[in-house]
Amino acid sequence: MSVLRPLDKLPGLNTATILLVGTEDALLQQLADSMLKEDCASELKVHLAKSLPLPSSVNRPRIDLIVFVVNLHSKYSLQNTEESLRHVDASFFLGKVCFLATGAGRESHCSIHRHTVVKLAHTYQSPLLYCDLEAGLQWCNHGSLQTRAPGLK
Amino acid sequence: MDETVAEFIKRTILKIPMNELTTILKAWDFLSENQLQTVNFRQRKESVVQHLIHLCEEKRASLSDAALLDIIYMQFHQHQKVWDVFQMNKGPGEDVDLFDMKQFKNSFKKILQRALKNVTVSFRETEENAVWIRIAWGTQYTKPNQYKPTYVVYYSQTPYAFMSSSMLRRNTPLLGQALTVASKHHQIVKMDLRSRYLDSLKAIVFKQYNQTFETHNSTTPLQERSLGLDINMDSRIIHENIVEKERVQRITQETFGDYPQPQLEFAQYKLETKFKSGLNGSILAEREEPLRCLIKFSSPHLLEALKSLAPAGIADAPLSPLLTCIPNKRMNYFKIRDK
């Protein structure tokens, strides 16, 4: 089983690669589009994946940050995230992983309690951000995202 | 013209939206072209209705004329009723007779009139050998209630009839019997299929929904179209799971096809099964009686919603066959029991 390791490749010159992992492709696409619109000192590349492990046949750059996108409206989304986490090497969790929970605003549609993702993020010692993609992108803790991803200014 | 008939016509016309009024009146074909030209349709609705009633009085509209107008209104507003589907079959060894519309209508009317003295039966034939039947129910002692009729759409070249769900359920067996005998069938059975959209029910029952038409989108390359990708995709975004996405698209297409799905509003599953659990000694697993539970899926367009579940990433492909079999099995009401 292939496991993602943070330092198994050399970093690209002045480039940063973010991997978004989540079940809903449209959500990931929207997120990626918004991220690329922001000004970034380095060249930013965004990879979208439904789940881990990634297909091994592809030659890809070193991944600097993994964002697990969990839709609080979908138990399937949480289950997918939990299974994907098994394919990430422990050293990734030293500041290169982030959890993004969407849909917290519509309480009545949530089938996953917020506490569940809080506990998940706590277990993996990684930050948890909340985001509501339906109302347009709103970032919380935008600052912390930048400082925790080396390679990005 | 009878007071009740006038009131009935008035109420029917009041229901018709102004922009459909001339179309429906023309389809009714009761008031002449000359008469209709004397009406100023740009007035307030109440004035238009008054004028039309006056014209109907001049022409001495009868109850059957009024009933015909009601049928036409319903044909334009089919979705206001929920339609059930019935299937008839011939007895063993019975020959397939040539269908005689006149004989069918006479026989149908006679059967109902013999059983209930007071009943209004009206017919309107449409294309595809279909006949719309309107029945207003009374009893031995009361006149028919014109405001709670039942409508039946019978396709004479097929064993299928569509019936509007009505509150007066006690008349359904009689209606079924009349239909069966008049159409020279042996037995009638209610199918587990129900919807507001008569056209979709027709498409499902007659298996007409799976026709693919060439659309203008067929000029774009197949792969891009099937992946739903934007042609102006940013090259800085890389999709890792293209293979998986293609698999999901392929399975979705195999299950649902390229054609638009017939429109249904819900699917209902009645479960009566024993509790199954991997854990031993669970209280629920020891229960002798089966658990009863009802699951209902609702949507403005259920089948299209199911079709988009896997591509949207909300569910895994392939979907449960209990969901995908709906148009094929011609059912949206299921009873699931332990075998």
Side-chain angles (χ1 to χ4, degrees):
Chain A
M1 284 274 187
S2 59
V3 170
L4 275 179
R5 291 178 214 283
L7 302 170
D8 59 352
K9 292 192 176 129
L10 290 173
L13 191 63
N14 209 30
T15 56
T17 308
I18 298 184
L19 174 65
L20 301 179
V21 180
T23 49
E24 285 166 47
D25 194 59
L27 221 62
L28 299 186
Q29 182 82 46
Q30 247 186 304
L31 201 55
D33 285 336
S34 304
M35 287 166 86
L36 290 170
K37 281 204 194 103
E38 296 282 324
D39 263 329
C40 186
S42 330
E43 247 192 67
L44 182 62
K45 276 202 164 67
V46 184
H47 286 237
L48 309 181
K50 180 177 172 263
S51 60
L52 299 175
L54 296 176
S56 51
S57 51
V58 179
N59 190 14
R60 67 178 67 82
R62 187 178 84 166
I63 293 174
D64 299 304
L65 176 70
I66 306 178
V67 182
F68 288 97
V69 181
V70 180
N71 185 350
L72 293 179
H73 300 177
S74 160
K75 285 205 174 93
Y76 179 60
S77 170
L78 179 66
Q79 193 188 358
N80 182 66
T81 302
E82 285 172 343
E83 280 167 10
S84 302
L85 280 165
R86 287 195 218 128
H87 298 280
V88 180
D89 185 67
S91 49
F92 239 117
F93 297 101
L94 299 169
K96 291 192 174 202
V97 172
C98 166
F99 292 92
L100 185 64
T102 69
R106 291 168 81 184
E107 195 86 41
S108 54
H109 284 76
C110 288
S111 49
I112 304 171
H113 200 278
R114 280 217 307 267
H115 181 71
T116 313
V117 279
V118 168
K119 220 173 81 168
L120 186 68
H122 184 78
T123 311
Y124 286 94
Q125 306 267 345
S126 298
L128 171 65
L129 305 177
Y130 292 96
C131 171
D132 189 349
L133 282 167
E134 284 170 290
L137 205 62
Q138 293 151 11
W139 284 99
C140 324
N141 290 338
H142 187 71
S144 78
L145 177 71
Q146 287 184 316
T147 53
R148 281 187 204 259
L152 280 175
K153 257 217 200 142
Chain B
M1 197 162 78
D2 199 289
E3 261 296 308
T4 48
V5 174
E7 181 65 23
F8 180 29
I9 298 182
K10 180 168 157 210
R11 285 210 219 172
T12 310
I13 299 181
L14 277 172
K15 279 195 293 187
I16 306 174
M18 282 306 276
N19 57 346
E20 288 174 15
L21 197 48
T22 37
T23 320
I24 292 184
L25 287 173
K26 284 212 177 89
W28 190 28
D29 202 23
F30 174 72
L31 297 172
S32 69
E33 194 61 50
N34 290 334
Q35 281 181 302
L36 285 176
Q37 272 172 9
T38 63
V39 183
N40 178 7
F41 287 96
R42 292 211 202 99
Q43 296 171 75
R44 263 180 41 236
K45 195 164 188 192
E46 289 81 27
S47 318
V48 177
V49 173
Q50 290 279 44
H51 195 162
L52 288 168
I53 300 294
H54 184 66
L55 292 174
C56 291
E57 260 171 14
E58 272 179 21
K59 250 200 148 172
R60 296 182 220 250
S62 65
L63 182 59
S64 51
D65 297 313
L68 188 61
L69 180 63
D70 190 38
I71 294 182
I72 296 172
Y73 171 79
M74 194 44 60
Q75 288 176 323
F76 274 76
H77 295 264
Q78 297 170 0
H79 55 276
Q80 284 182 4
K81 297 271 180 200
V82 177
W83 300 89
D84 289 313
V85 189
F86 288 80
Q87 182 176 12
M88 295 182 280
N89 42 37
K90 302 245 182 213
E94 267 179 35
D95 282 328
V96 179
D97 288 331
L98 276 173
F99 182 79
D100 184 345
M101 183 60 82
K102 196 163 168 202
Q103 181 264 322
F104 167 78
K105 291 202 257 190
N106 285 336
S107 175
F108 184 85
K109 204 164 181 172
K110 255 196 219 142
I111 295 171
L112 287 183
Q113 281 171 340
R114 258 190 235 140
L116 301 164
K117 227 174 56 176
N118 292 302
V119 67
T120 314
V121 183
S122 320
F123 301 92
R124 185 169 196 250
E125 290 169 57
T126 58
E127 71 279 318
E128 291 178 299
N129 293 304
V131 56
W132 277 66
I133 314 171
R134 176 186 180 275
I135 306 109
W137 305 95
T139 65
Q140 297 282 1
Y141 311 105
T142 59
K143 293 198 101 178
N145 182 349
Q146 299 299 337
Y147 300 101
K148 290 210 169 101
T150 306
Y151 301 89
V152 178
V153 186
Y154 172 48
Y155 284 83
S156 57
Q157 298 302 320
T158 75
Y160 297 103
F162 303 89
M163 233 183 261
S164 63
S165 284
S166 117
M167 285 287 122
L168 306 167
R169 255 180 253 167
R170 62 166 188 264
N171 293 312
T172 314
L174 175 60
L175 185 50
Q177 197 185 20
L179 197 57
T180 314
V181 173
S183 63
K184 301 211 178 110
H185 284 91
H186 181 66
Q187 202 190 19
I188 187 167
V189 161
K190 186 169 170 182
M191 292 172 69
D192 291 320
L193 184 60
R194 187 178 304 159
S195 169
R196 286 187 182 274
Y197 302 104
L198 199 53
D199 285 336
S200 294
L201 288 176
K202 238 180 72 185
I204 293 174
V205 169
F206 301 137
K207 303 246 177 230
Q208 291 166 339
Y209 57 89
N210 48 6
Q211 283 142 5
T212 322
F213 298 103
E214 278 294 297
T215 64
H216 67 275
N217 279 331
S218 56
T219 51
T220 53
L222 184 66
Q223 180 168 48
E224 274 176 42
R225 179 162 49 99
S226 62
L227 288 178
L229 294 170
D230 212 341
I231 300 177
N232 303 321
M233 208 175 62
D234 199 324
S235 61
R236 295 174 292 172
I237 300 178
I238 296 105
H239 291 259
E240 291 283 348
N241 296 107
I242 298 252
V243 172
E244 172 66 15
K245 278 215 258 189
E246 281 175 358
R247 184 191 76 97
V248 167
Q249 286 291 353
R250 188 179 40 87
I251 292 183
T252 304
Q253 200 202 28
E254 278 168 19
T255 317
F256 293 93
D258 272 332
Y259 40 83
Q261 301 291 310
Q263 194 168 5
L264 294 173
E265 319 88 90
F266 52 84
Q268 189 172 296
Y269 299 83
K270 233 183 201 162
L271 303 179
E272 253 184 55
T273 54
K274 287 193 75 171
F275 187 79
K276 288 187 181 71
S277 162
L279 312 159
N280 286 328
S282 144
I283 299 172
L284 286 171
E286 286 166 18
R287 210 182 127 102
E288 276 303 315
E289 277 175 45
L291 290 168
R292 288 191 183 79
C293 140
L294 185 76
I295 301 173
K296 187 171 176 179
F297 293 89
S298 310
S299 165
H301 200 321
L302 182 73
L303 295 177
E304 283 292 339
L306 292 176
K307 183 176 176 181
S308 53
L309 280 180
I314 301 171
D316 232 344
L319 291 176
S320 161
L322 282 172
L323 292 170
T324 55
C325 70
I326 292 170
N328 224 328
K329 279 206 164 157
R330 306 186 299 185
M331 292 168 82
N332 60 352
Y333 276 73
F334 296 84
K335 286 197 179 70
I336 302 165
R337 295 202 177 90
D338 288 322
K339 290 220 169 72

